[in-house]
Amino acid sequence: MTVTIGVIGVGMIGQDHIRRLTHVLAGSRVVAVTDVDAVRTKEVADSLPVPARVHATGEELIADPDVQAVIVASWGPTHEEYVLASLWAGKPVFCEKPLATTEEACSRIIDAEVEAGRRLVQVGFMRRYDAAYRAMKRVVDSGDIGSPLMVHSRHRNPSVPEHYTREMAITDTAVHDFDTVRWLLGEELVSATVLTPRRSRHGGELQDPLLMLFETESGALVDVETSVNIRYGYDIRGEVVGEDGTVALADSAPVLVRRGGTVSGRVPEDWRERFLRAYDVELQEWVDAVAAGRGATGPSSWDGYAAAVVSDAAVEALRSGAKVPVTLRDKPDLYAKEAER
Ligand code: NAD
Ligand code: ISE
């Protein structure tokens, strides 16, 4: 069966997902697209081997009977309305992170999915599909390094677009680290503190970098660094320190060159390069799940909600300088027995 997909938002990641669905992955076809940028939408639609239908709005695309499943890749504040509309239409929806930009909006999505009675939403936390992160989780789960005591997470971007605000270092960037740590440790974060070192001269008005500290339910400590103007490349690092050992992501350079008394290796240019294969696996597993009649797999609305609540607490901690508690609503049964991916 070929899953027919409609894509809302054809910017950077929307186009990248369309490319992989069309030229790399199996079992799906992009049949419809929409974006508030009408010129870009038409260009993207016409570039496909079988040109996609262009819709004027996301709502119109979701209502299209030829669209079996929806990808939401528009700006974060627009996600809620499209995910809710997909749920009300009973269509599986893959939503890029963040699921939505506020706790309340994520909660409304959870309520609608619970009402639908089955999982239909998958959130684009692609690190869970990265081979290195998966290997790291296997080590943690095996117990070989003992109980996790600390996690160090480094999230470095060479630069960010002009519209990027200081809160986005938390809501748009570190939100990946929040999900990764929850998934790696299998527990929730319960408090947030944010420290602000001297600003990088490359960040303009941005408070960059940030150093965040979180406590987990079991009492482990997590520190997350965001540096979003680091210039030298896109660098993602992680380490779990356990009672009996540690596990860390290895350097992501495919080869190291030794020459003239130095060792050097490539640092990825951006998220597309660093997580290329992770996005492939993520979307293929989603397509396969939809084709098999399962509405979703992997990161759920609950995961999107929990990451958003941590983001909200960290934003408050950034503004107040205080330690802020993270308080989650009760977890609906729908999400209780999720695949531990
Ligand atoms: P982008 O600005 O390149 O593209 C966003 C597109 O959405 C633009 O073309 C814009 O015109 C369109 N848009 C805005 N409002 C819309 C609306 N109401 N309806 C339809 N289209 C609308 O941004 P991007 O980098 O592609 O990011 C898009 C989303 O993907 C964001 O939520 C971002 O956080 C997420 N993202 C995730 C990853 C990841 O690693 N998983 C990487 C990049 C971006
Ligand atoms: C971007 O939206 C992503 O999701 C990337 O993975 C992240 O590294 C970057 O900071 C975000 O802006």
Side-chain angles (χ1 to χ4, degrees):
M1 169 193 168
T2 299
V3 178
T4 52
I5 295 175
V7 178
I8 301 175
V10 293
M12 280 210 292
I13 203 158
Q15 288 184 43
D16 205 37
H17 284 337
I18 291 172
R19 174 195 60 75
R20 60 174 41 87
L21 289 167
T22 307
H23 299 294
V24 182
L25 308 183
S28 71
R29 191 158 68 81
V30 176
V31 296
V33 289
T34 187
D35 193 296
V36 287
D37 183 335
V39 174
R40 182 183 286 166
T41 317
K42 175 99 175 64
E43 274 170 19
V44 171
D46 289 347
S47 73
L48 294 176
V50 178
R53 188 174 300 162
V54 171
H55 284 288
T57 65
E59 284 76 9
E60 198 183 288
L61 177 144
I62 292 163
D64 183 339
D66 290 338
V67 170
Q68 291 172 338
V70 178
I71 290 181
V72 177
S74 46
W75 292 326
T78 68
H79 290 182
E80 179 192 6
E81 62 180 295
Y82 298 135
V83 173
L84 284 176
S86 302
L87 282 169
W88 294 330
K91 296 190 180 183
V93 51
F94 176 93
C95 180
E96 260 312 330
K97 47 62 60 174
L99 173 61
T101 45
T102 65
E103 170 178 356
E104 294 72 25
C106 292
S107 233
R108 284 190 286 273
I109 290 172
I110 286 183
D111 291 340
E113 197 174 31
V114 168
E115 176 83 25
R118 66 190 193 108
R119 276 202 54 195
L120 286 168
V121 180
Q122 181 168 333
V123 183
F125 286 130
M126 76 298 181
R127 290 185 180 189
R128 297 186 184 207
Y129 299 86
D130 177 64
Y133 270 116
R134 283 185 163 183
M136 186 181 223
K137 180 159 173 62
R138 280 196 295 276
V139 172
V140 172
D141 289 349
S142 72
D144 284 353
I145 62 164
S147 295
L149 306 173
M150 290 184 289
V151 182
H152 307 301
S153 198
R154 309 278 169 263
H155 194 151
R156 298 178 184 155
N157 288 207
S159 62
V160 283
E162 266 180 23
H163 68 264
Y164 195 93
T165 61
R166 74 173 191 155
E167 284 75 18
M168 283 175 76
I170 295 169
T171 59
D172 192 62
T173 296
V175 68
H176 281 292
D177 303 74
F178 306 156
D179 180 68
T180 305
V181 172
R182 293 180 56 255
W183 166 75
L184 274 175
L185 300 189
E187 58 175 326
E188 300 294 351
L189 304 178
V190 297
S191 76
T193 309
V194 179
L195 302 174
T196 52
R198 187 163 70 82
R199 287 183 192 179
S200 160
R201 74 180 194 284
H202 297 302
E205 294 303 301
L206 280 184
Q207 179 60 60
D208 177 45
L210 294 180
L211 184 61
M212 306 172 218
L213 196 58
F214 301 90
E215 292 167 307
T216 73
E217 286 169 306
S218 72
L221 282 184
V222 177
D223 61 279
V224 176
E225 170 203 316
T226 55
S227 291
V228 296
N229 288 284
I230 201 84
R231 293 296 189 262
Y232 70 82
Y234 185 81
D235 195 11
I236 302 298
R237 289 160 185 256
E239 182 179 29
V240 179
V241 179
E243 287 173 311
D244 302 315
T246 70
V247 56
L249 297 177
D251 211 299
S252 64
V255 291
L256 294 178
V257 177
R258 289 179 169 79
R259 185 175 168 276
T262 61
V263 181
S264 61
R266 182 175 166 75
V267 179
E269 188 177 326
D270 63 13
W271 38 269
R272 282 175 294 202
E273 182 179 346
R274 168 62 183 83
F275 289 110
L276 180 79
R277 277 295 297 148
Y279 295 116
D280 289 349
V281 177
E282 169 191 61
L283 274 193
Q284 187 66 67
E285 290 194 10
W286 177 66
V287 167
D288 293 347
V290 172
R294 304 196 318 276
T297 174
S300 66
S301 298
W302 177 262
D303 297 311
Y305 160 82
V309 179
V310 176
S311 291
D312 284 356
V315 167
E316 195 186 326
L318 171 64
R319 288 180 184 151
S320 67
K323 177 160 114 179
V324 176
V326 175
T327 311
L328 301 179
R329 62 184 273 182
D330 288 339
K331 191 172 186 173
D333 289 345
L334 182 63
Y335 309 106
K337 288 198 181 133
E338 287 181 349
E340 297 270 305
R341 193 186 307 290

